[in-house]
Amino acid sequence: MSYRIERINSEMRKTLSQIIGRLKDPRMTEMVSVTAVNVAKDLKTAKVDVEIFGDGNEDKVRETFETLCRSGGFIRKELAREFHDLRTIPELTFRMDTSSAYSAHIDKILEEIKQNDGGGNH
């Protein structure tokens, strides 16, 4: 990956985090974190990985994600204001990043194994 694309990915991640934080949609009830942005070499598309932190209510998380996806056009327009030096603002595709939830699940399993093994002192 070129240095230019890496820099655009980084700057776009920061800017998207700010834009999403300013969204005033009441359906966005959970906290959203942009974990990664991968812009295509031709700058026409970008995959945006987001993590949604909530109280464990899957319906609220799903509604927040769907609202975020429906807000893609508005978010892209806001990106255009920030990245006025880019000829093309990429079309955004949002993806759920579940890596921390997966890590927490694995930690829980390992802790259960450790407890069932008598503390692991063999």
Side-chain angles (χ1 to χ4, degrees):
M1 186 178 314
S2 75
Y3 174 74
R4 178 175 184 252
I5 294 294
E6 285 182 35
R7 199 177 77 230
I8 291 172
N9 286 341
S10 176
E11 289 302 315
M12 213 164 265
R13 187 184 66 74
K14 291 176 197 170
T15 304
L16 282 168
S17 292
Q18 294 169 351
I19 293 169
I20 291 169
R22 293 190 308 252
L23 288 177
K24 300 288 188 228
D25 194 310
R27 295 168 294 184
M28 300 240 338
T29 57
E30 309 299 320
M31 188 177 99
V32 178
S33 173
V34 178
T35 56
V37 175
N38 293 308
V39 177
K41 288 179 185 178
D42 62 4
L43 300 178
K44 292 188 186 215
T45 61
K47 294 176 183 166
V48 181
D49 295 337
V50 295
E51 189 166 6
I52 300 175
F53 301 95
D55 57 7
N57 185 336
E58 285 298 315
D59 290 335
K60 285 183 177 181
V61 169
R62 188 177 313 107
E63 183 178 29
T64 297
F65 182 71
E66 288 171 359
T67 301
L68 181 64
C69 291
R70 283 192 300 270
S71 302
F74 172 79
I75 294 169
R76 188 172 181 221
K77 190 166 58 173
E78 292 294 306
L79 266 180
R81 290 182 186 179
E82 298 291 328
F83 288 89
H84 45 82
D85 55 330
L86 287 181
R87 189 176 324 146
T88 306
I89 299 299
E91 193 72 40
L92 304 174
T93 302
F94 293 97
R95 304 183 305 182
M96 288 284 282
D97 180 356
T98 58
S99 58
S100 69
Y102 181 74
S103 295
H105 177 69
I106 295 298
D107 287 344
K108 181 180 174 187
I109 291 172
L110 291 174
E111 188 61 36
E112 288 173 4
I113 290 171
K114 185 177 174 183
Q115 288 175 355
N116 290 339
D117 197 26
N121 295 329
H122 290 281

